[in-house]
Amino acid sequence: MNVHPTANTVSQVKTAEGQRRPRKSEAVYQDLKRMILTGQLTSDSPITEQALAQDYGCSQGTIREALMLLQEYGLVVRQGYQGTFVTDPTPLEAQLMLKLRVDIETTGIVETVKHVTPKDLEELRDLDLQFEGYRAKRDVFGCAETDRALHLRLFQVARMPALEPILLRTSMMLQRVMMPGPRSESAWTKPNVTHHSEIFDALEAGDEALAVSTLKAHILSSAILLAPQFYGTDLRRLQQEFNLPPVQVVNAAGR
C-alpha cells in the first residue's frame, strides 16, 4: 500500500480519499491542497477560476471540479462572484475539531482491537515506514498525506464506514490548522510525540486500554508539537481536557 502525494500525477490514481478522478482535475486538486496545507495559499486573497485556469492551462470546468473537492473537505469556502477563499479556522473550531477526532478515533480503536489482523498490521507498519521516509526528507506534505492515510486505514479496520468521511474531513481540517506553522529541526529529528509504532504494538498485544491511551497520546502530543498557538504546550493539561472514555453502545433501554 503506497501513498503518492505528488501533484504531477500523469495517470488516473486513487487517492487516500478513496475517489477516482480525471488526471487533470486530480493534479490541480492535489497541487492546490498542497499549497493550502503548507500555507502557500491563505485566506488573504480570493482564488478565481479564471486565474487558476490560466495558471494550469486547463478549462474553468476542471478548476471548478478541483475547487468543489477542496470545499467538500473544508479547505475552501466558495462565495459566489467574490471568489473562493481558503478557510481560516478559529481557535474554537480548532478545539472542537481536535475533540471530534479524538472521540472518533479512540472509539474506533476499541473496535479495531477486535478485528485487526496480521495483514492489517503489516499494512499499517508499511505506511509508517513511508511516513518516516518523508519525515527524513523534511517533506511536510508527504508526511501529512501519509499520516492521514495511515489513520484512515487504522479506522477502517474498526468497520465503522459511516464515520470515515467525517474523520477524513476532520483530519484534513486539522492539518490545515497544524501544518502551516514553522517547524524546528528538533521537531523533525526528535519529535516529542507518541509514535505510530506504539499504537501498533498495543494492537498486536490485544490491549484495548493501551491502544486507546497511546492513540490519544499520539494525537494530542502531535497537536501540541505542530500547533501550540491553538493547543498550548502542556500535554498533561490537554490530556485532562480530553479525559473522557470512548463512546460505548447502550441497549434500547438505555442501560
Side-chain angles (χ1 to χ4, degrees), residues 156-172:
Q156 286 170 338
V157 181
R159 305 178 186 178
M160 303 169 72
L163 291 173
E164 287 175 22
I166 301 172
L167 176 61
L168 178 58
R169 180 182 172 117
T170 303
S171 298
M172 200 175 296

Side-chain angles (χ1 to χ4, degrees), residues 29-43:
Y29 163 74
Q30 288 286 350
D31 199 43
L32 291 174
K33 180 173 66 171
R34 175 185 59 79
M35 289 192 287
I36 291 170
L37 292 181
T38 57
Q40 297 175 60
L41 276 179
T42 69
S43 59

Side-chain angles (χ1 to χ4, degrees), residues 1-63:
M1 184 178 189
N2 291 301
V3 177
H4 301 280
T6 56
N8 299 319
T9 306
V10 294
S11 61
Q12 194 177 58
V13 298
K14 188 171 184 179
T15 67
E17 284 83 67
Q19 299 179 13
R20 287 191 176 274
R21 294 187 286 274
R23 63 182 183 183
K24 189 62 180 182
S25 60
E26 165 69 19
V28 174
Y29 163 74
Q30 288 286 350
D31 199 43
L32 291 174
K33 180 173 66 171
R34 175 185 59 79
M35 289 192 287
I36 291 170
L37 292 181
T38 57
Q40 297 175 60
L41 276 179
T42 69
S43 59
D44 293 337
S45 57
I47 302 168
T48 65
E49 292 180 5
Q50 184 176 11
L52 287 178
Q54 291 176 347
D55 290 342
Y56 286 99
C58 62
S59 69
Q60 287 186 226
T62 297
I63 297 298

Side-chain angles (χ1 to χ4, degrees), residues 87-97 173 177 229-231:
T87 53
D88 194 10
T90 65
L92 178 58
E93 288 172 322
Q95 287 284 344
L96 289 173
M97 286 187 291
M173 284 300 299
V177 168
Q229 71 276 22
F230 285 103
Y231 304 114

Side-chain angles (χ1 to χ4, degrees), residues 31-207:
D31 199 43
L32 291 174
K33 180 173 66 171
R34 175 185 59 79
M35 289 192 287
I36 291 170
L37 292 181
T38 57
Q40 297 175 60
L41 276 179
T42 69
S43 59
D44 293 337
S45 57
I47 302 168
T48 65
E49 292 180 5
Q50 184 176 11
L52 287 178
Q54 291 176 347
D55 290 342
Y56 286 99
C58 62
S59 69
Q60 287 186 226
T62 297
I63 297 298
R64 190 173 302 117
E65 181 182 353
L67 291 178
M68 288 175 67
L69 286 163
L70 291 169
Q71 183 179 34
E72 180 181 339
Y73 294 116
L75 297 180
V76 300
V77 56
R78 308 191 74 195
Q79 297 183 354
Y81 293 108
Q82 296 180 42
T84 299
F85 293 82
V86 174
T87 53
D88 194 10
T90 65
L92 178 58
E93 288 172 322
Q95 287 284 344
L96 289 173
M97 286 187 291
L98 186 62
K99 288 180 182 293
L100 179 59
R101 181 186 173 188
V102 168
D103 203 12
I104 291 175
E105 288 206 54
T106 55
T107 300
I109 205 166
V110 173
E111 298 303 306
T112 296
V113 170
K114 301 173 185 176
H115 302 299
V116 69
T117 66
K119 187 175 184 296
D120 294 326
L121 286 168
E122 182 181 353
E123 290 182 5
L124 288 165
R125 292 189 189 278
D126 180 63
L127 283 167
D128 191 36
L129 284 175
Q130 293 181 51
F131 174 83
E132 291 298 330
Y134 287 121
R135 185 167 70 89
K137 293 186 289 188
R138 311 296 191 268
D139 185 338
V140 174
F141 186 63
C143 284
E145 291 288 275
T146 311
D147 182 73
R148 191 169 63 251
L150 186 157
H151 281 269
L152 183 60
R153 182 70 189 94
L154 180 65
F155 188 74
Q156 286 170 338
V157 181
R159 305 178 186 178
M160 303 169 72
L163 291 173
E164 287 175 22
I166 301 172
L167 176 61
L168 178 58
R169 180 182 172 117
T170 303
S171 298
M172 200 175 296
M173 284 300 299
L174 281 170
Q175 288 178 334
R176 167 76 183 92
V177 168
M178 297 180 189
M179 284 179 58
R183 196 173 305 190
S184 66
E185 181 62 16
S186 62
W188 285 111
T189 58
K190 296 180 180 179
N192 187 24
V193 299
T194 301
H195 295 282
H196 293 129
S197 59
E198 297 179 56
I199 303 169
F200 307 152
D201 291 344
L203 288 174
E204 194 165 28
D207 191 327

